[in-house]
Amino acid sequence: MKTSFFIVSFFALGCMAGYFVDRLEWLADSGLSMWALALLMFLVGISMGRDREIISKMSRLDKRITLLPVITVAGTLAGAFVASLLLDRWSAQDCATAASGLGYYSLASILVSEYRGAALGAVTLLANLLRELLSMLFIPMLVKCCGPLSPEAVSGAASIDTTLPVIVQCTGSEFAVVALCHGFVCTLLVPLLISFFCAL
Amino acid sequence: MWLIFGSLAAGLLVGAAWRSPKFSSLLSPAITANICIMLFLLGIETGGNDQVMSQAGELGMDALVLCLCAMACSAAGALAWWRFIRSDRRRKA
């Protein structure tokens, strides 16, 4: 938990730097974050490749775990419905559209802004950004209280990249493949779900 | 997407071929440092986005409620699924 707070504090530092220092904009536009992500994947790959027993650990996993993306989407939509009861400003359709980003804030916010306007687009960006940050923060706690599948479900599409190292550290390398497949399916589902809810 | 999977595949190959114990102590701090850099860059992007920053207070609470509800229901679903799989395996064993 301490490490997660330390990690997330870098996001807050970045926010302050981006807000107060105009000259840093080139860093955000430079594509450096994509190369940092590639390096992260390379390092995660090394830590997985070093584990001699990863294949046998994976073969012991239940095949029904592959249905996890369905659980994630169903849970997310149920949560969106609950949120629509608490938020007067947004309908159940609005909440379902914004939550369909599944943590993939960049693509989701662009799609929602295009179809449903800037206000819901901003909510989509913030909600999915928060989902990624908060899941990174709560993964160690979630593994203890909700089992090894909860970090993947809570991270959504981010389980394929940014939250993957934290998931591997907390659940073990055998769940890395679960997180990767889950993140991949969720990433593919994001544009489909958003288009569906926008067309309703 | 290909860059991500390509990097992961390259890392798997390097990790399988190179198992020096000296290297393993450096791996975890390197991963943490990389995540910190990524989040710092994401923060710069968010902080520099005027539209998001100007509406952060107004819409931020709505986004937080939506995010927490979605996360809680997803975690509950995953816990129920994990318990179902475990109890079913125990019953069959």
Side-chain angles (χ1 to χ4, degrees):
Chain A
M1 194 81 169
K2 223 177 186 179
T3 316
S4 300
F5 269 112
F6 173 74
I7 289 171
V8 173
S9 69
F10 276 82
F11 174 76
L13 276 174
C15 275
M16 284 192 277
Y19 187 70
F20 292 112
V21 187
D22 289 338
R23 274 176 290 174
L24 287 175
E25 271 176 20
W26 69 271
L27 259 177
D29 302 331
S30 64
L32 198 64
S33 53
M34 182 48 85
W35 289 108
L37 180 60
L39 179 61
L40 182 66
M41 289 294 105
F42 180 70
L43 293 171
V44 170
I46 291 176
S47 71
M48 284 165 69
R50 292 167 61 81
D51 189 344
R52 286 170 199 267
E53 291 171 21
I54 190 166
I55 303 290
S56 65
K57 280 180 192 167
M58 271 162 46
S59 61
R60 269 182 261 139
L61 287 174
D62 196 295
K63 301 293 173 282
R64 285 172 291 186
I65 286 176
T66 50
L67 282 176
L68 188 61
V70 179
I71 307 289
T72 303
V73 172
T76 300
L77 295 178
F81 179 71
V82 174
S84 73
L85 300 176
L86 300 170
L87 304 168
D88 297 332
R89 203 189 321 200
W90 309 105
S91 66
Q93 187 192 353
D94 291 335
C95 289
T97 308
S100 295
L102 302 172
Y104 193 174
Y105 58 87
S106 52
L107 176 70
S109 61
I110 292 167
L111 286 173
V112 175
S113 301
E114 194 75 27
Y115 291 121
R116 302 295 298 275
L120 191 60
V123 171
T124 305
L125 175 66
L126 290 169
N128 288 289
L129 189 63
L130 282 169
R131 184 170 181 162
E132 185 174 314
L133 292 171
L134 292 178
S135 50
M136 201 174 275
L137 204 61
F138 292 126
I139 280 172
M141 196 185 79
L142 276 168
V143 175
K144 283 181 191 155
C145 70
C146 299
L149 299 183
S150 58
E152 291 88 343
V154 164
S155 304
S159 71
I160 199 174
D161 44 50
T162 40
T163 59
L164 180 63
V166 190
I167 293 172
V168 173
Q169 276 173 0
C170 295
T171 60
S173 52
E174 67 269 33
F175 282 94
V177 179
V178 178
L180 279 167
C181 296
H182 174 267
F184 182 71
V185 175
C186 286
T187 302
L188 293 178
L189 287 175
V190 169
L192 297 174
L193 285 168
I194 290 178
S195 309
F196 174 75
F197 285 111
C198 286
L200 279 180
Chain B
M1 194 66 90
W2 290 113
L3 180 68
I4 292 169
F5 282 113
S7 308
L8 187 69
L12 279 169
L13 291 174
V14 172
W18 190 25
R19 287 183 166 134
S20 155
K22 224 183 200 179
F23 184 67
S24 62
S25 60
L26 294 171
L27 201 58
S28 184
I31 289 175
T32 307
N34 209 307
I35 297 172
C36 292
I37 292 168
M38 276 185 58
L39 287 178
F40 183 72
L41 291 170
L42 178 63
I44 289 175
E45 202 178 321
T46 309
N49 188 328
D50 293 334
Q51 193 196 349
V52 173
M53 292 311 279
S54 63
Q55 293 179 308
E58 196 184 330
L59 302 175
M61 197 49 76
D62 292 355
L64 182 65
V65 170
L66 180 57
C67 160
L68 290 176
C69 288
M71 285 173 75
C73 290
S74 300
L79 175 63
W81 190 235
W82 176 245
R83 282 191 174 163
F84 167 74
I85 290 172
R86 257 198 342 188
S87 64
D88 193 49
R89 285 184 98 178
R90 272 192 204 141
R91 212 163 359 107
K92 284 178 183 167

